[in-house]
Amino acid sequence: MKYFFLTAVIFLLAFPITSSAKISNTSELIAAMQQRYEKSWYKTATFVQETTNFQPDGTSKVETWYEAMSVPGSLRIDFTPTSAGNGILFTGGKIFVFKDGKVDTTRPFEHPLLILGFDIYRSPAADITAKLQALKFDLAVP
């Protein structure tokens, strides 16, 4: 995955850092992002998302997902109907899949979107760098 720098540029365009310092590497970018948002980036969020899943047979299925996030590192998604007890929990570097209100499967998983979109503002830079390296992001891209 060589898209970290591109992703970071997109974040910078969306959330500009008010500094005249030139950012020339990933460590400087993470530091600038954290400095800019250390006091304002949220710790929790809830939202509803309409999701379209495309099936192999060419059909699609639209679902409503109820999501709750705690930054850093945790995202819960409840699928409709919520009374069925189906969903996913990302936490502690793992994914837990729930069916009928019980854990069906679990495995190690670091969610790249959580890391790049949210945790990057609330986790130590060294932790973010280590997770991105483990996910094979090329942090040497200038």
Side-chain angles (χ1 to χ4, degrees):
M1 292 190 213
K2 297 182 179 181
Y3 303 110
F4 175 72
F5 201 77
L6 176 60
T7 303
V9 169
I10 292 168
F11 278 113
L12 287 174
L13 292 173
F15 307 103
I17 297 170
T18 55
S19 171
S20 59
K22 182 180 177 204
I23 296 171
S24 61
N25 61 53
T26 302
S27 295
E28 290 175 3
L29 175 64
I30 292 171
M33 292 169 72
Q34 289 182 340
Q35 180 182 8
R36 171 67 172 91
Y37 293 101
E38 67 185 336
K39 294 181 182 166
S40 62
W41 201 259
Y42 49 86
K43 295 178 184 176
T44 61
T46 59
F47 53 99
V48 178
Q49 175 177 309
E50 187 173 278
T51 303
T52 304
N53 292 310
F54 295 96
Q55 308 300 313
D57 65 3
T59 62
S60 62
K61 178 181 176 185
V62 177
E63 296 178 324
T64 301
W65 293 1
Y66 293 89
E67 303 191 38
M69 183 171 37
S70 177
V71 179
S74 295
L75 173 66
R76 174 183 170 159
I77 304 173
D78 293 304
F79 305 134
T80 52
T82 56
S83 60
N86 299 325
I88 301 172
L89 175 65
F90 302 95
T91 192
K94 295 180 182 176
I95 180 174
F96 299 85
V97 178
F98 288 82
K99 291 186 180 172
D100 300 320
K102 297 178 185 158
V103 175
D104 182 62
T105 59
T106 185
R107 64 180 171 85
F109 184 77
E110 290 288 354
H111 198 309
L113 178 60
L114 280 176
I115 296 166
L116 289 171
F118 308 100
D119 294 355
I120 199 165
Y121 298 102
R122 293 267 178 215
S123 295
D127 292 353
I128 295 298
T129 300
K131 288 179 180 182
L132 293 174
Q133 287 171 330
L135 290 169
K136 307 287 189 232
F137 278 83
D138 184 352
L139 304 183
V141 176

